[in-house]
Amino acid sequence: MDFTPTEEQAAARDLAARIFGDLSTHERLTAAGTGSDAELWKALCEAGLPAAVEDIGLLGLVLLLEEQGRTTAQVPFAASCVYGLLAVSAHGSAEQRERLLPAIGDGTVVVTGALPEAAVRVGGSGELSGVVPVVPWLRDATHVLVADDEHGMWLVRTVDARCEPVELTAPWSAGRLTLDATPGEPLGGSLGERQGGPEAAAAGQEAYDDVLATARTAFAGLQAGVCAGSVARAVDYTNTREQFGRPLATKQGVQLRAADAYMDTETIRVTAYEAAWRRDEGLDYATHALTAAWWASEAGHRVVHAGQHLHGGMGADLDHPVHRHFLWGRQLDAYLGCGSEVIQELGALIVDGEGDA
């Protein structure tokens, strides 16, 4: 395996780092409140970064999301790339790819996902009914990728559904999605193909598993960036904050706590890289995605707590920039399954003999 970025991946990462660094500042984040930054999203789309993901793959996306996480930039970048661009390019029909991918790439279509399982039922004519209590970035989305109770996936236009604002731990512009005989478009085919028996059901399950594994890998990459940003802020603070005439960073206890946080962050990063690389190479990556998700949950929880702790009393200030990393880290800790849920799923996959080599 080789995680060395290609020239295209490295160029996209460097461009993303510059845009996020310039626009996702403490002052702009404060002004945005719990909403998204429309100007930043426009800048990312004009730079061609969402569209580039189709070429640079999941590993490239993970590199971009690390840069987003470092600055806790409030844009639907991860969601639209995972549930929109990558899901449609991998599992959409030829017509869906031709119609949707350019619009997702330029940001005029924003997709989010109602995964994992949702209590959504499908009517005989393809109408959807059910409630998804929390959908991240729903307030920014034009479409939602919804999983029904049999793991079939449907694209729903938000204008056809009822969307009510919901606040999460992190400012992810979330909402409550209510479907009441709402029209849906099957991902990858017509309604007849969706109801075409065991083979169609198996194909739908395979697509669902892939999208969920892709999402877990991508959001693990986002968590790696959130944690890296938290550690960087802690290092800067402890090197400049003095106690009894010496920087806090000279104290062994501080060094050990920071070192543990750094190693946890690197573990999240490398497991996300491996899962993403395997998907891009066409290899089985189900267990690797779950491994990355487990580290993102368990280690991510430790890192953002350490980052806040190393800021001492300043870490308790809700207006301090490090607090955003804490909120994002805790949100990502539970998103798409907390550590105990993910490890149970991983164990079942291994016991069933379905784990990848």
Side-chain angles (χ1 to χ4, degrees):
M1 65 187 70
D2 183 5
F3 304 150
T4 305
T6 64
E7 185 176 335
E8 293 79 7
Q9 289 171 338
R13 177 197 60 198
D14 294 343
L15 178 58
R18 185 165 70 250
I19 294 173
F20 284 127
D22 288 345
L23 295 181
S24 186
T25 62
H26 175 59
E27 293 73 22
R28 289 179 60 85
L29 288 167
T30 301
T34 62
S36 293
D37 187 332
E39 183 180 342
L40 173 56
W41 179 241
K42 181 180 178 181
L44 291 167
C45 294
E46 288 179 345
L49 288 175
V53 172
E54 192 174 0
D55 296 321
I56 63 177
L58 182 54
L59 180 54
L61 176 59
V62 166
L63 294 172
L64 301 184
L65 293 180
E66 278 192 80
E67 300 307 324
Q68 179 184 1
R70 290 180 201 276
T71 60
T72 59
Q74 292 171 199
V75 287
F77 190 74
S80 201
C81 288
V82 169
Y83 301 120
L85 194 139
L86 290 179
V88 172
S89 63
H91 305 290
S93 66
E95 187 278 330
Q96 287 172 333
R97 292 194 297 271
E98 182 179 359
R99 170 167 49 92
L100 292 172
L101 290 181
I104 297 171
D106 66 22
T108 54
V109 167
V110 177
V111 185
T112 190
L115 271 67
E117 298 152 354
V120 174
R121 301 172 304 282
V122 184
S125 301
E127 68 278 4
L128 305 174
S129 298
V131 177
V132 186
V134 176
V135 180
W137 292 288
L138 182 63
R139 284 177 265 166
D140 299 328
T142 60
H143 293 70
V144 187
L145 185 64
V146 176
D148 63 36
D149 51 5
E150 295 183 357
H151 290 177
M153 289 191 296
W154 305 75
L155 284 165
V156 175
R157 299 192 310 164
T158 53
V159 294
D160 296 328
R162 188 162 79 249
C163 305
E164 304 163 276
V166 172
E167 296 299 340
L168 300 180
T169 300
W172 284 4
S173 296
R176 175 187 175 93
L177 178 69
T178 302
L179 305 174
D180 185 8
T182 303
E185 176 184 357
L187 181 67
S190 67
L191 178 61
E193 291 171 333
R194 175 66 73 193
Q195 298 173 335
E199 290 186 3
Q205 181 67 51
E206 182 179 347
Y208 172 86
D209 290 342
D210 177 60
V211 171
L212 181 56
T214 298
R216 282 170 164 164
T217 303
F219 282 97
L222 184 62
Q223 180 75 302
V226 169
C227 291
S230 177
V231 171
R233 289 190 181 280
V235 169
D236 181 68
Y237 179 80
T238 56
N239 272 288
T240 55
R241 174 70 170 174
E242 292 189 356
Q243 188 178 71
F244 305 116
R246 297 173 56 196
L248 288 173
T250 62
K251 299 182 181 298
Q252 189 178 48
V254 171
Q255 294 171 1
L256 292 173
R257 192 82 193 273
D260 285 342
Y262 172 80
M263 292 305 298
D264 271 337
T265 301
E266 289 301 296
T267 305
I268 300 169
R269 175 182 289 115
V270 74
T271 53
Y273 283 6
E274 182 177 11
W277 176 83
R278 289 182 67 90
R279 183 188 188 275
D280 290 344
E281 293 295 313
L283 302 172
D284 291 335
Y285 73 111
T287 57
H288 297 79
L290 287 166
T291 301
W294 184 82
W295 278 105
S297 177
E298 295 290 313
H301 179 109
R302 292 194 295 266
V303 172
V304 296
H305 275 263
Q308 199 161 11
H309 184 200
L310 288 171
H311 278 76
M314 293 300 295
D317 182 358
L318 301 186
D319 295 324
H320 195 283
V322 77
H323 191 66
R324 294 194 187 92
H325 294 270
F326 178 79
L327 296 178
W328 277 67
R330 290 309 308 267
Q331 187 70 55
L332 286 163
D333 165 14
Y335 184 53
L336 300 177
C338 66
S340 59
E341 293 171 323
V342 169
I343 201 69
Q344 183 178 9
E345 190 175 339
L346 176 59
L349 200 63
I350 293 172
V351 168
D352 291 342
E354 298 179 11
D356 35 73

